[in-house]
Amino acid sequence: MIGNYKLIQQDGISRIVVVIFLVAILLVGMIFYPIVMKSANNRANEVDAQYITTATKEAQVQYLNNYKGFTAVFDTETKQFVDESTAKKTVNPYGTSEEHQGKYLLITVDDSGNVSSEWVTP
């Protein structure tokens, strides 16, 4: 009887250790998950900022070629401006951050050469 009691007692302790280990893993996951997700969204915001910079520079170059204002959607794949009416069919939304996901950039250049950008839903 005493031998069986030791076996049961050791088995119970090992189960407790496994449960504590699983709880510890869950706690670590709960702590680090928001940190990792925030970091990923920060990187996505940086990518979106790069899209804005690229589109703005391309718009300035296009304006300097003909000195006419325009409004168009910037296609990141071709680095070209696409008419707003056809962009829905030809441009894949490229916003990567939580705020801009599923959107693309609408670039407006006025007749003075001032460039503005706006994230729009197709």
Side-chain angles (χ1 to χ4, degrees), residues 3-122:
N4 285 339
Y5 179 72
K6 281 187 178 181
L7 182 63
I8 292 171
Q9 189 177 15
Q10 287 176 348
D11 191 37
I13 290 174
S14 61
R15 285 183 186 168
I16 290 172
V17 169
V18 168
V19 168
I20 290 172
F21 179 72
L22 291 174
V23 168
I25 289 175
L26 287 172
L27 286 174
V28 168
M30 288 172 49
I31 291 170
F32 284 108
Y33 179 77
I35 294 170
V36 170
M37 292 309 294
K38 183 176 180 182
S39 175
N41 195 46
N42 286 343
R43 288 193 178 111
N45 282 329
E46 290 172 11
V47 169
D48 288 350
Q50 286 295 329
Y51 286 145
I52 292 170
T53 301
T54 302
T56 300
K57 299 229 185 261
E58 289 290 329
Q60 290 169 340
V61 167
Q62 186 165 334
Y63 175 79
L64 290 174
N65 284 334
N66 59 17
Y67 293 100
K68 291 183 182 176
F70 65 93
T71 298
V73 172
F74 183 69
D75 186 354
T76 57
E77 293 175 8
T78 63
K79 304 291 188 252
Q80 299 290 322
F81 290 98
V82 178
D83 186 60
E84 198 175 352
S85 61
T86 60
K88 293 178 185 179
K89 298 174 187 170
T90 60
V91 179
N92 293 324
Y94 47 81
T96 56
S97 66
E98 287 178 13
E99 182 182 354
H100 304 136
Q101 192 140 20
K103 298 179 179 181
Y104 47 60
L105 277 173
L106 179 66
I107 302 296
T108 303
V109 181
D110 65 17
D111 289 331
S112 301
N114 299 315
V115 180
S116 62
S117 63
E118 178 185 4
W119 289 96
V120 294
T121 304

